[in-house]
């Protein structure tokens, strides 16, 4: 919702809150992203690349118990419609 409305600040806050609810180190290791890069990306002044955002979303999907990449892609695509 926040992305569709162009509310980047809210989107970054949502990503940060979700990762903090997870085991952040494990989630970030799975997608080869450092904690520093993650916190820089979701900071108020952060301007993450699409690649970084992609890794963050992958980390959320993998840490949410998704068993297959195909199922994750399908759920994400469905949410974007």
């Amino acid at each position: 919702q926040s992305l569709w409305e162009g509310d980047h600040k809210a989107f970054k806050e949502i990503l940060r809150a979700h990762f903090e609810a997870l085991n952040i180190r494990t989630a970030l290791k799975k997608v080869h992203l450092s904690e520093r890069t993650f916190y820089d990306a979701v900071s108020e002044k952060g301007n993450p690349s699409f690649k970084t955002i992609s890794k963050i979303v992958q980390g959320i999907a993998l840490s949410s118990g998704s068993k297959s990449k195909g199922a994750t892609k399908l759920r994400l695509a469905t949410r974007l419609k």
Side-chain angles (χ1 to χ4, degrees):
Q1 183 73 27
S2 60
L3 284 178
W4 286 115
E5 295 173 0
D7 190 349
H8 302 124
K9 182 178 178 183
F11 179 70
K12 290 191 288 185
E13 289 173 4
I14 291 165
L15 288 177
R16 184 181 188 136
H18 188 82
F19 260 80
E20 288 176 350
L22 301 171
N23 181 344
I24 191 167
R25 284 193 176 103
T26 301
L28 293 174
K29 280 184 182 180
K30 287 180 182 181
V31 294
H32 309 288
L33 195 66
S34 72
E35 284 186 63
R36 176 67 181 199
T37 300
F38 171 75
Y39 282 110
D40 284 348
V42 297
S43 72
E44 190 172 325
K45 293 184 179 184
N47 188 17
S49 68
F50 185 75
K51 183 177 180 180
T52 299
I53 292 170
S54 177
K55 285 185 175 190
I56 291 170
V57 172
Q58 285 175 344
I60 290 171
L62 292 172
S63 297
S64 296
S66 175
K67 299 292 183 193
S68 73
K69 287 184 180 181
T72 300
K73 287 179 183 177
L74 179 60
R75 277 198 308 275
L76 289 173
T78 302
R79 289 179 189 161
L80 292 175
K81 288 184 179 179

